[in-house]
Amino acid sequence: METLRPAAWPWISTAARLGLAAVWLVAGGLKVGDLAASARAVNAYQLMSYDTAKVVGAVQPFLEITLGLLLLAGLAVRLTAGISALLMVTFIGGIVWAWSQGLQIDCGCFSSGGELAAGKDTAYGVDILRDLGFLALSGILLWRPRTRFSLDGVLMGER
């Protein structure tokens, strides 16, 4: 990747920033209207008590929306990318856990999640590959956080 011209990187990073912003805004936006369903989706992983899952399920959509807005504005890009990467690793770990335990759940990434209806198959492999792609976007931003049309650039006096 170092063979790319240095002038291309801000544009590549801008695409990664805006793509990841869209991911977080859509994921959080789909959950924020039904926090009880978000809590049920977290609880379906059977990794914590229901009371803890309720708190995590209530906070998660707002965290996702906040990350999306920060990335959209281009503010604290490297920090936001780091938090995004940690969340993606956590989500991938949760999906791997559910798969290893034989749980029949929807990951809840872009839906209300929870247990799957009878006869419906899991999509854990696809979910993991998708989240690895999002993790790669985070990685690009951790490595090359300077992007076009960002508040970071304005605050740093970049043209």
Side-chain angles (χ1 to χ4, degrees), residues 45-126:
Y45 284 90
Q46 302 175 12
L47 288 168
M48 58 192 77
S49 71
Y50 182 68
D51 289 336
T52 304
K54 284 192 321 189
V55 172
V56 171
V59 170
Q60 184 179 336
F62 295 101
L63 175 60
E64 291 172 345
I65 290 169
T66 299
L67 293 172
L69 291 173
L70 286 169
L71 287 167
L72 187 63
L75 185 60
V77 171
R78 182 171 272 157
L79 174 63
T80 306
I83 295 167
S84 296
L86 287 172
L87 282 174
M88 286 301 161
V89 168
T90 302
F91 294 161
I92 291 166
I95 295 167
V96 168
W97 162 260
W99 201 354
S100 73
Q101 298 303 301
L103 300 178
Q104 297 292 307
I105 62 173
D106 177 332
C107 76
C109 304
F110 295 96
S111 66
S112 59
E115 296 202 24
L116 291 174
K120 193 163 182 199
D121 290 329
T122 62
Y124 295 138
V126 173

